[in-house]
Amino acid sequence: KKKFLPTYRGFDEFYGMYVGAADHYERIPSLGNASKRFLALDYLLTGRDLHRQDEPADPETDFHSTDLYLKEALNVISRHKTQ
């Protein structure tokens, strides 16, 4: 539900994963060991899980997640450096 997304819960901007656990190159969600307990969720965890604001982001898969987060953080700082 949209009301549970970060930008609807007090954050001005968001860049990251909704599920919270994913492959760092492909950004495909994973429940790890918990997936055995939640087999019904497997069909929900398909596709890439990386979002900017409320929309899916389509990053290059040749980079580790931390590199993408660094690039995004530098962009945010650059946009707000006069504040």
Side-chain angles (χ1 to χ4, degrees):
K1 291 186 178 186
K2 220 170 193 176
K3 70 180 184 178
F4 297 118
L5 298 178
T7 53
Y8 289 84
R9 297 180 58 83
F11 292 91
D12 295 330
E13 299 186 35
F14 176 76
Y15 183 76
M17 299 179 286
Y18 289 160
V19 173
D23 174 85
H24 285 284
Y25 288 96
E26 296 292 328
R27 267 64 76 187
I28 296 173
S30 169
L31 288 174
N33 291 337
S35 64
K36 293 174 186 168
R37 290 179 276 154
F38 300 105
L39 292 177
L41 292 179
D42 283 349
Y43 76 97
L44 294 174
L45 301 177
T46 59
R48 294 199 173 126
D49 180 26
L50 188 67
H51 295 80
R52 177 178 285 109
Q53 307 303 66
D54 304 337
E55 300 295 324
D58 191 23
E60 299 176 50
T61 57
D62 294 340
F63 297 97
H64 195 272
S65 293
T66 54
D67 295 325
L68 297 174
Y69 296 143
L70 172 62
K71 183 178 175 182
E72 186 71 15
L74 293 173
N75 287 335
V76 170
I77 291 167
S78 177
R79 287 195 314 268
H80 296 283
K81 66 183 173 184
T82 59
Q83 294 180 344

